[in-house]
Amino acid sequence: MAIEGIFTAIIEFCQGLLAGTPSWLQTLGLGVLYLVGVLAFVFLNVLYLIYLERKLSAYVQERIGPNRFGPHGLLQSIADAVKILGKEDITPRGADKWVYIIAPIVIFIPATMLYAVIPFGKDLIAADLNIGVFYFLAVASTTTIAILMGGWSSNNKYSLLGAMRAVAQIISYEIPLAFSIVGVVMLAGSLQTSQIVAAQEGTWNIVLQPLAFIIFFIAANAEINRGPFDLVEGEQEIVAGPYVDYTAMRFGMFYLSEYANLLSMSALAVTLFLGGWHGPWLPSWLWFFIKLYIMIYIFMWVRWTFPRIRIDHLMGFNWKVLLPLSLANILVTGVGIKIYQLITIGRW
Amino acid sequence: MAEVKGELQTQEFELNMGPQHPSTHGVYRARLTLDGEKVVKVENIIGYLHRGIEKLAEDRTYTQFIPYTDRLDYLSGMLNNLGYVQTVEKALGIEVPERAEYLRVIMAELSRMASHMVAIASFVLDVSGWTAWFPPFRERERILDLFEMTCGSRMTVSYMRIGGVAADIPPEFLPALKSLLDDLPQFIEQMHALISGNEIFIGRCKGVGKLDIETALAYGVTGPNLRASGLPFDLRKAQPYGCYDRFEFDIPVLTNGDSYDRYLIRLLEIEQSARIIRQAMESLPDGEIMAKVPRVIKLPPGDYYHQIEASKGILGFYLVSDGGTKPYRLHIHSPSFVNLGAIPKLTEGSLIQDFVVTFASIDIVLGDVDR
Amino acid sequence: MFGRGLIKGLRTTWHLGLGKAITEQYPERRPKLPPAFHGSLSLDPQKCNACGLCARACPNNVIIVDSERGEDKKRYLSAYTVKLGQCLFCGLCVESCPRGALHWLPDFELACYRFKDTEHVLYKRNPEGEVSKGA
């Protein structure tokens, strides 16, 4: 199909352009191409995710949402981005200046790095690492450092509280998140994202691992500080948490990275549980995109329905419920795989 | 690695919550002493909305003060109006016409409903239930529309007059009121589905900010907060004023006295208010809406006190007259101010998130606290 | 328990999301205000005899009534000013008027840039003696 191969054709075309050049230039050129592709994907999606979030919340709340700039307010996010760029950049007097300045940059780098291992479609993956899932989790967890940097360096009590919450929350929820993925990895027998997608050609992992999906969803929600787990921001208690002193584009970076994380988590959920780009009739990247937005919709739906959880419940839920459940899931998966092998192959 | 001997030391720090803070409901300020997330000490700091209303009263005639009562607890203007005009009527011994009494009851109960809706909405919002904020405000909007068509204003109504009410209801009032009351069960159902049964919400509020009857009485807490603790005390029953003794209604009582009960009791009271309004609507008599009142109102020298059950508790007006056209002194016993006093007791030792929840569940209005 | 309330909540928001918006798109769609609405004051100068009862009824001394005596010793209204910046919109002035000269208009967009613009001159007699409605 012509549409199916549209992105691979672009890559091949660029490879053709670089054909006669030395090999290091070819690698570099291709790397730049992937980077530009990923960045364009992230920025465009994030801008419209903000719009989508506002619209969805408006519909849920019997409102209309942004409808002033552009048809149905479609250009609203762009106007907001321009506005936020034009705002005054304030560094509080007591702030630890360099840490304060670096934090928004630090948070944005892992947010974009995550997309390297996401298979957006058939053969559409920037870096098909053989430890893709591990890479994803490792890079995603560095977000904590940036939030702590921002919260600490602002020299504000609210932001410090928020940063402390972020560290406690993200580090604890990483454990069930990783353990819920283990089941999927066991089924596929690989940490490579493309392998995991390939293993789901017949049945999606959500069918084989429903419990793991639910654990993953909850832990991911906590990991990206959304929905009932937005304690880090905790508007009603600690105003905006680590971001309380940030203004202008620095705040914008935090904001964008929050949505970039939402996007990457949804992409990971699609890759691991919803069969990645697999699907009939439509081109693979379109399938991926549709599933991605269904996932994002669920994240948003949950966020605009549930109140915020309390910090001790958050911790208790993680250690007392999610962790044992995810461990049990691994056990059941292991036994299940063995029984399956016993039936099909006839030996252990 | 260095060995840590004994327990790790933590340091308490002070956090200023407010006057500009998303969940201090106006310009309330709390100086919290925190140990990490734990609230060690709470100090109420009020006065950011002080307008000197009691002093203003000394320079206004008795009628002229009515608009200022709207601005006490600006979420239930009608109830404040009612409390004040009944104080003056009590002092003068004025008989209010039947129709005016019934209209007053309808308006006061509508106002109570509106006030409770805001209380519920802002409480839910402080637990971060963004969507559940909207149904109460949607219904309240219809109540405010009713006020608007009757007396021209939505919140600062100035509807009651000494001896009656300012205006009769327009013909479209009763049908609109009826449809509002008919939709109420749906709204309450929606609230239950959306938030009351939500496990996270229950986890946030159940057992948080527990107030037992003894403490409540010691602090003088009244209104729904007291009834949520288990004491069925309501001035509408205990000391009926106006024509409340003619209506049949229950006083909802819950026993736990935690934030969840304080939320739930407001939903129950909305139902009871609707019941009163239905009865008043059906038996609304015809006739005058204003009694014969002297043009210049002069109270005989002496002091007068009258209290009513406002949406947040007992609202009392203490008037001292020297026989002139203006009050010599007016003191307002405002429920929000009294209820606020219990906040440190309720929240010390809890988490900062619990502080926000408890504070919201007590439901204060800073206009009423600072006056 | 065990997530039943959570699912119920999700179902409610789903239905709410499919419902119609109830908000009003203000500048395009004007609110339908009832005739009793306290927007801004207007004066019928023909009916007013400058008795000043409205000024005395006002709790905040918002109304200034200027009058002069004509040759027949009758009082005439010469200017009627309302300092809307201090107005409480309580309506005591309208109620106090014995001749029904003062009434409310549902015109509520009273925001202005300068404080002195909050002073509305409802009536001013110009020197020629002609009756005109001021700005």
Side-chain angles (χ1 to χ4, degrees), chain A residues 57 60-63 157-158 161 165 228 230-231 235-239 303-313, chain B residues 13-17 21-23 36-37 125-128 130-131 134 138 198 200 203-204 208 351-354 356:
Chain A
S57 67
V60 163
Q61 295 164 353
E62 300 171 279
R63 297 184 283 121
K157 287 164 187 169
Y158 286 116
L161 274 174
R165 281 180 179 188
D230 54 346
L231 281 118
E235 187 184 324
Q236 282 82 4
E237 301 115 28
I238 49 170
V239 196
R303 181 193 164 161
W304 291 103
T305 306
F306 295 155
R308 184 180 305 121
I309 198 164
R310 205 165 72 195
I311 183 115
D312 52 338
H313 294 174
Chain B
F13 66 100
E14 280 195 349
L15 182 73
N16 253 320
M17 206 165 188
H21 188 278
S23 57
E37 289 264 348
L125 189 65
D126 278 353
V127 196
S128 190
W130 299 96
T131 302
F134 282 83
R138 183 188 66 207
N198 190 306
I200 301 174
R204 277 298 293 277
V208 169
L351 296 173
I352 185 168
Q353 280 182 309
D354 293 343
V356 171

Side-chain angles (χ1 to χ4, degrees), chain C:
Chain C
M1 266 289 132
F2 299 113
R4 194 125 46 90
L6 300 181
I7 293 182
K8 216 170 168 188
L10 283 176
R11 212 165 52 210
T12 313
T13 41
W14 175 266
H15 287 302
L16 280 172
L18 294 176
K20 250 184 102 187
I22 50 161
T23 44
E24 218 166 67
Q25 296 297 298
Y26 157 58
E28 287 90 26
R29 261 181 49 202
R30 316 297 298 179
K32 263 188 264 145
L33 292 172
F37 184 71
H38 292 188
S40 52
L41 286 163
S42 92
L43 178 80
D44 187 348
Q46 256 78 43
K47 284 188 185 163
C48 180
N49 66 347
C51 64
L53 276 179
C54 45
R56 245 182 294 154
C58 180
N60 245 1
N61 298 331
V62 164
I63 300 170
I64 300 162
V65 184
D66 290 323
S67 61
E68 50 194 43
R69 292 206 182 264
E71 283 144 20
D72 49 353
K73 297 275 162 105
K74 261 181 88 179
R75 257 189 312 180
Y76 290 102
L77 182 68
S78 61
Y80 196 94
T81 319
V82 184
K83 293 184 281 181
L84 276 183
Q86 285 141 35
C87 184
L88 295 172
F89 295 90
C90 59
L92 287 174
C93 48
V94 176
E95 269 169 50
S96 73
C97 186
R99 299 168 70 108
L102 200 59
H103 44 87
W104 288 107
L105 289 181
D107 173 24
F108 62 94
E109 285 153 320
L110 300 167
C112 53
Y113 281 99
R114 283 175 213 88
F115 186 70
K116 73 173 201 297
D117 293 343
T118 60
E119 212 165 275
H120 284 217
V121 182
L122 296 187
Y123 174 79
K124 195 173 179 84
R125 186 206 288 270
N126 47 21
E128 285 83 40
E130 265 176 54
V131 171
S132 73
K133 199 168 176 243

Side-chain angles (χ1 to χ4, degrees), chain A residues 271-283:
Chain A
T271 309
L272 294 181
F273 291 99
L274 297 181
W277 41 263
H278 283 300
W281 308 306
L282 294 171

Side-chain angles (χ1 to χ4, degrees), chain A residues 89-107 143-164 166-167 241-247 250-251 254:
Chain A
D89 191 10
I90 297 167
T91 309
R93 203 181 302 143
D96 191 340
K97 203 171 163 222
W98 283 107
V99 183
Y100 183 81
I101 291 170
I102 292 167
I105 303 162
V106 173
I107 200 168
T143 315
T144 327
I145 299 168
I147 294 178
L148 182 62
M149 278 166 78
W152 172 262
S153 64
S154 301
N155 199 12
N156 181 314
K157 287 164 187 169
Y158 286 116
S159 61
L160 183 64
L161 274 174
M164 290 304 173
V167 174
Y243 322 134
V244 72
D245 270 337
Y246 279 94
T247 55
R250 297 215 184 111
F251 175 74
F254 277 114

